[in-house]
Amino acid sequence: MATRLRADARRNRAALLAAAREVFAEQGLDASLDEIARRAGVGNATLYRRFPSRRHLIAEVFASHMTAAVQLAEQALEHPDPWAAFVGYLTRVCELQATDRGLAELLVTSAFDDDERLAGLRSTAYQRAVDVLTRAQRAGRLRADFTGRDFALLMMANAGVAQHSSDPQAWRRALNLVIGGLGAKAI
């Protein structure tokens, strides 16, 4: 049976998660834990009491992000137009990645595959992404040679553009160029 946290402990945990989301989004997965504790308004001991390691904190923060990625794909699978669903899904995932450096890094690394919850969510998100692209291919709208591996490469490329461009919207231009080449008629 799980122990219920006191009200102040719940507030501290919530503050730590909010600060961690913010700091990881700005600085990436290697962000300072001291900065996270500072922004949460708690001491380092409180952070480590709630999250014994960086990996625990990252897993807790990004499980909700990965759940959101799964939900985006499931929404795309319900959209009546497979091509519009694919483009919309791809755009939204790239946007999330471009606006959250931590998420961008998480999507292109296997460093957290030993975390059962994140690995499961990541696997489900990947499979749903493949389902979205397969559906667009079956409709004759997405080029037949685009694979799940290509989707993963696209995520890596988007992360690089988002991180290294001085233009915060450069990822949109790059994505639009890629989408232009992904249509079945572009072959």
Side-chain angles (χ1 to χ4, degrees):
M1 178 179 240
T3 305
R4 289 182 56 113
L5 295 176
R6 295 183 331 249
D8 62 328
R10 281 194 309 274
R11 280 191 303 273
N12 288 344
R13 186 177 192 287
L16 283 164
L17 288 171
R21 279 187 205 95
E22 184 179 285
V23 173
F24 287 142
E26 294 169 5
Q27 300 173 19
L29 299 178
D30 291 329
S32 164
L33 296 182
D34 291 342
E35 175 65 11
I36 291 169
R38 186 191 67 72
R39 287 197 199 181
V42 301
N44 287 353
T46 300
L47 185 147
Y48 286 107
R49 193 168 30 258
R50 296 288 151 237
F51 305 99
S53 72
R54 173 183 299 276
R55 295 178 73 74
H56 286 92
L57 181 58
I58 287 171
E60 191 65 29
V61 167
F62 290 102
S64 64
H65 286 55
M66 295 306 292
T67 299
V70 170
Q71 291 169 342
L72 284 173
E74 288 173 351
Q75 290 168 358
L77 290 167
E78 293 174 8
H79 192 286
D81 181 336
W83 176 251
F86 172 75
V87 170
Y89 169 73
L90 186 58
T91 301
R92 186 65 184 122
V93 169
C94 286
E95 180 179 34
L96 289 172
Q97 196 182 40
T99 58
D100 188 324
R101 185 171 165 191
L103 179 62
E105 292 174 8
L106 185 70
L107 289 176
V108 299
T109 184
S110 60
F112 294 89
D113 284 353
D114 61 342
D115 182 281
E116 200 171 296
R117 180 170 53 159
L118 278 183
L121 286 166
R122 184 180 171 135
S123 175
T124 301
Y126 176 79
Q127 186 53 57
R128 294 299 183 278
V130 170
D131 294 343
V132 171
L133 73 89
T134 301
R135 184 170 169 250
Q137 287 170 326
R138 287 186 180 140
R141 300 294 310 275
L142 175 63
R143 54 188 295 159
D145 63 342
F146 186 74
T147 67
R149 288 183 64 172
D150 296 321
F151 178 82
L153 289 173
L154 184 53
M155 292 296 96
M156 286 184 229
N158 186 65
V161 169
Q163 183 175 352
H164 298 292
S165 176
S166 60
D167 176 4
Q169 296 299 311
W171 69 271
R172 287 187 190 277
R173 170 88 173 129
L175 180 61
N176 285 333
L177 292 169
V178 169
I179 288 171
L182 288 176
K185 295 190 180 13
I187 298 175

